[in-house]
């Protein structure tokens, strides 16, 4: 097991290095001087002195190899430098905003798992029945509705018509816990329902496949209780694909919560990325992308380890 984890961690580190190299190279490969492009606003051109100062501030006046080594060294220390827009610490901004985005994703994931796994299991066990037909139809409908439309509908019904929840905004948990949790509900539901559709489909398909295996028929023939057969022999063996789907979707959610944060005015990491792109704040853009990539790789590492615990044959591959 230790050797398997070591191999996976080495692979994750290599992948992160490749991604960091690609992100660094993009700033070099893209035609034009980034400092000149940044200062050229409204069709005007900056003075040569201003461009030279900005190049020195960004380290672009150094040899490429020196820039690359410095970039890797600072990234390894989680030092992403300063924003060229407000000269603030990028690491501090990411440390402030990342937990807000993760909060939405974690709450949405818990909601999705609590909803989709029992529903998908029941639908798989009663394939072709009324419950399966009804839940599959609802799932297909929710899958076809984009997240920003769902979020807008939630605001309309729960905030404007019923008045149960706030339409958006953000208050720190330490300032007002109750209001913070109220504001968290709708963004989490929006993210969670989209994830639940994926988990439901995978759970239903896995349960359908598992219930046809010989060991399940043998367990039933031995007279084991139905709950034990479902829990120990069907659902346990169906968890591998479900965990894989959840892991992949979590990584995707990290980069796709832009519209959800925008709709609910939630100041998370995705909003920071959009703002940095609009302002051509290249160091911040690079830092956010690296952060998302590192978390995505970390999630996949955890998923690999969990999958190997459920199915030891994976360690031999």
């Amino acid at each position: 097991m230790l050797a398997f984890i070591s191999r996976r961690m080495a692979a994750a580190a290599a992948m992160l290095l490749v991604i960091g190299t690609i992100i660094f190279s993009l700033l070099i490969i893209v035609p034009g001087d980034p400092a000149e492009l940044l200062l050229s606003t409204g069709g005007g051109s900056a003075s040569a002195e201003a461009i030279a100062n900005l190049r020195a501030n960004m380290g672009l006046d150094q040899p490429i190899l020196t820039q690359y080594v410095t970039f890797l060294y600072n990234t390894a220390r989680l030092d992403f430098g300063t924003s060229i827009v407000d000269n603030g610490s990028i690491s501090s901004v990411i440390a402030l905003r990342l937990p807000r985005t993760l909060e939405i994703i974690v709450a949405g994931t818990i909601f999705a798992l609590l909803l989709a796994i029992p529903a998908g299991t029941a639908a798989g066990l009663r394939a072709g029945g009324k419950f399966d037909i009804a839940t599959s139809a609802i799932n297909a409908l929710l899958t076809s509705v984009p997240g920003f439309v769902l979020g807008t509908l939630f605001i309309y019904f729960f905030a404007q018509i019923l008045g149960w929840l706030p339409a958006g905004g953000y208050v720190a948990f330490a300032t007002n816990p109750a209001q913070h949790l109220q504001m968290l509900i709708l963004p989490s539901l929006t993210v969670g329902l989209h994830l639940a559709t994926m988990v439901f489909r995978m759970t239903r398909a896995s349960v359908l496949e598992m219930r046809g295996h010989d060991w399940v028929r043998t367990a039933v023939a031995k007279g084991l209780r139905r709950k034990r057969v479902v829990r120990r022999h069907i659902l346990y063996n169906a968890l591998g694909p479900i965990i894989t789907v959840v892991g992949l979707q979590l990584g995707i959610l990290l980069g796709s919560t832009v519209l959800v944060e925008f709709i609910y005015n939630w100041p998370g990491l995705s909003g920071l990325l959009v703002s940095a792109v609009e302002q051509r704040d290249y160091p911040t853009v690079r830092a956010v992308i690296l952060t998302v990539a590192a978390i995505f790789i970390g999630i996949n590492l955890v998923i690999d380890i969990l999958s190997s615990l459920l199915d030891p044959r994976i360690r031999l591959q």
Side-chain angles (χ1 to χ4, degrees):
M1 185 66 185
L2 188 60
F4 172 78
I5 294 176
S6 300
R7 289 198 304 271
R8 284 293 186 269
M9 289 183 68
M15 193 177 301
L16 195 57
L17 178 63
V18 170
I19 292 174
T21 303
I22 292 173
I23 293 174
F24 172 82
S25 303
L26 288 177
L27 196 62
I28 307 298
I29 296 172
V30 171
D33 187 341
E36 186 175 357
L37 288 173
L38 180 65
L39 294 174
S40 300
T41 56
S45 57
S47 65
E49 182 181 0
I51 294 174
N53 288 335
L54 184 56
R55 284 178 58 80
N57 186 39
M58 296 175 66
L60 298 176
D61 56 342
Q62 300 293 322
I64 292 178
L65 183 59
T66 303
Q67 293 180 41
Y68 179 63
V69 173
T70 304
F71 167 73
L72 292 181
Y73 177 72
N74 290 335
T75 301
R77 296 188 302 128
L78 300 180
D79 180 7
F80 298 115
T82 57
S83 167
I84 56 178
V85 174
D86 57 11
N87 208 30
S89 170
I90 298 173
S91 300
S92 299
V93 177
I94 290 178
L96 177 67
R97 286 183 173 245
L98 178 61
R100 298 171 182 171
T101 297
L102 292 179
E103 193 176 13
I104 293 179
I105 294 174
V106 170
T109 302
I110 293 173
F111 167 74
L113 295 180
L114 291 176
L115 176 67
I117 290 183
T121 303
L125 293 174
R126 300 175 179 82
K130 292 180 180 178
F131 180 81
D132 180 33
I133 294 173
T135 51
S136 295
I138 295 172
N139 189 69
L141 177 64
L142 290 175
T143 303
S144 63
V145 178
F148 64 91
V149 175
L150 203 59
T152 306
L153 291 175
F154 280 164
I155 291 174
Y156 179 70
F157 283 108
F158 292 108
Q160 294 190 357
I161 293 183
L162 300 177
W164 289 353
L165 295 168
Y170 177 83
V171 173
F173 184 83
T175 304
N176 190 333
Q179 191 175 4
H180 175 85
L181 294 177
Q182 275 189 329
M183 291 178 170
L184 179 64
I185 292 175
L186 288 185
S188 302
L189 279 180
T190 305
V191 171
L193 273 181
H194 177 71
L195 177 61
T197 59
M198 308 290 180
V199 177
F200 173 85
R201 281 188 294 178
M202 181 53 68
T203 304
R204 181 183 178 277
S206 297
V207 168
L208 267 175
E209 180 187 353
M210 291 302 162
R211 75 173 193 173
H213 282 291
D214 292 340
W215 66 74
V216 176
R217 287 196 289 269
T218 302
V220 174
K222 287 169 64 178
L224 294 181
R225 294 170 58 188
R226 178 178 171 82
K227 287 184 179 178
R228 179 177 172 82
V229 173
V230 172
R231 186 177 63 249
R232 183 67 184 88
H233 297 281
I234 296 179
L235 192 55
Y236 180 83
N237 290 291
L239 283 179
I242 298 171
I243 290 176
T244 301
V245 167
V246 171
L248 291 174
Q249 289 299 319
L250 284 180
I252 295 172
L253 284 177
L254 272 172
S256 62
T257 55
V258 176
L259 290 175
V260 174
E261 291 183 0
F262 178 77
I263 290 172
Y264 293 106
N265 196 22
W266 189 271
L269 193 65
S270 299
L272 175 65
L273 177 61
V274 173
S275 174
V277 170
E278 289 177 346
Q279 296 172 331
R280 299 179 183 178
D281 190 353
Y282 298 118
T284 301
V285 173
R286 189 164 61 182
V288 173
I289 294 174
L290 264 176
T291 302
V292 172
I295 295 175
F296 187 87
I297 291 172
I299 290 173
N300 277 278
L301 177 63
V302 173
I303 295 302
D304 283 347
I305 295 173
L306 288 177
S307 298
S308 70
L309 291 175
L310 290 172
D311 186 356
R313 293 174 298 178
I314 293 177
R315 301 175 205 167
L316 303 176
Q317 294 176 0

